[in-house]
Amino acid sequence: HIPQAKPLSPGEVLGCTAPSNLASNSHSTTVMLFLADGRFHLEAAMIANPTMRALRYDPYSKTLTEEGYETEKMKRIRQEAIRKAKDAKVFGVILGTLGRQGNPAILGRIRKLLRSKGKKSFVLLLSEIFPSKLDMIPQADAWVQVACPRLSIDWGHFFNKPVLNSYELETCLEATEWKDTYPMDFYSSGSGEWTNYHDNNRPRNMQSA
């Protein structure tokens, strides 16, 4: 059996989407064997399966290495960013324009959620998100980006203000509960409204609130 995060192909993993809960329990002896020459996609699989031992085989160097990820440290950092964002009055909402990363339907839901909580927001279109760019717009107390969820996870702590992804904003505004296993499901079906393949977001159309 090859693990699958539908509608991706069996065994396919993205940097933000991976099959989860592959180990039956924390004492399982199941091992994840990942074929890749880098770590980025493997990290998604490790985040989604934090109790599993992970091995990576590099077919170019023909080496097998044991890999690890500091999942608990990552979650503490992201929870702190969410806590800080709770006090924000104005959110900058970034819609990524690189490829098909930015989904207008998710953007529309985010703005609707912010309005329902009495938060102001404005939209910014960006192909790349850097701290220096966001520092030029002091009007925002916090940011949420609809582009790559891993940008917030991997680089969020380098920004001067919180930069949340769509899942983190949902937890910040108490629209969904914080999940003990951080979701790697941005392009997976059957998950929350922060994801691309939720029924409301699949058409990629921004509905007026």
Side-chain angles (χ1 to χ4, degrees):
H1 173 70
I2 301 176
Q4 181 179 13
K6 295 181 179 179
L8 302 184
S9 302
E12 182 180 5
V13 174
L14 305 179
C16 59
T17 307
S20 61
N21 301 316
L22 299 180
S24 56
N25 56 64
S26 60
H27 302 292
S28 172
T29 57
T30 305
V31 177
M32 180 194 314
L33 178 60
F34 204 87
L35 274 64
D37 61 343
R39 274 182 51 99
F40 183 68
H41 294 83
L42 170 59
E43 286 173 351
M46 289 192 288
I47 292 170
N49 301 277
T51 64
M52 285 188 71
R53 183 184 178 197
L55 301 177
R56 178 173 66 90
Y57 179 73
D58 185 334
Y60 297 101
S61 65
K62 296 182 174 56
T63 56
L64 181 69
T65 56
E66 183 158 8
E67 305 288 341
Y69 188 90
E70 293 182 298
T71 309
E72 293 304 316
K73 179 180 179 181
M74 176 274 285
K75 291 195 294 184
R76 287 195 301 270
I77 293 172
R78 299 317 303 149
Q79 286 178 308
E80 177 63 14
I82 292 168
R83 186 191 66 77
K84 290 180 178 178
K86 285 181 178 290
D87 296 327
K89 294 180 172 61
V90 180
F91 280 79
V93 185
I94 302 169
L95 182 67
T97 61
L98 185 65
R100 289 174 57 85
Q101 284 186 340
N103 187 328
I106 298 176
L107 170 68
R109 171 171 169 77
I110 285 172
R111 298 203 76 193
K112 184 177 179 180
L113 272 176
L114 289 169
R115 280 194 293 271
S116 72
K117 299 295 183 178
K119 308 286 188 180
K120 296 180 179 179
S121 68
F122 61 89
V123 176
L124 183 65
L125 305 182
L126 287 177
S127 59
E128 295 180 308
I129 304 171
F130 296 119
S132 58
K133 287 185 178 180
L134 301 193
D135 287 344
M136 296 172 66
I137 309 174
Q139 294 90 339
D141 301 316
W143 296 88
V144 54
Q145 53 92 11
V146 185
C148 174
R150 287 286 298 277
L151 186 145
S152 296
I153 296 169
D154 296 357
W155 302 101
H157 53 288
F158 290 106
F159 290 78
N160 292 316
K161 294 178 181 177
V163 179
L164 309 184
N165 57 40
S166 53
Y167 160 68
E168 292 170 348
L169 183 79
E170 296 256 348
T171 66
C172 177
L173 300 181
E174 299 179 350
T176 193
E177 295 183 354
W178 173 264
K179 299 180 181 298
D180 188 52
T181 298
Y182 194 101
M184 287 283 104
D185 58 358
F186 199 52
Y187 288 97
S188 176
S189 59
S191 196
E193 288 197 64
W194 58 86
T195 63
N196 278 283
Y197 284 105
H198 187 276
D199 288 344
N200 294 338
N201 302 329
R202 193 185 295 264
R204 299 177 65 88
N205 296 325
M206 186 167 62
Q207 299 179 359
S208 59

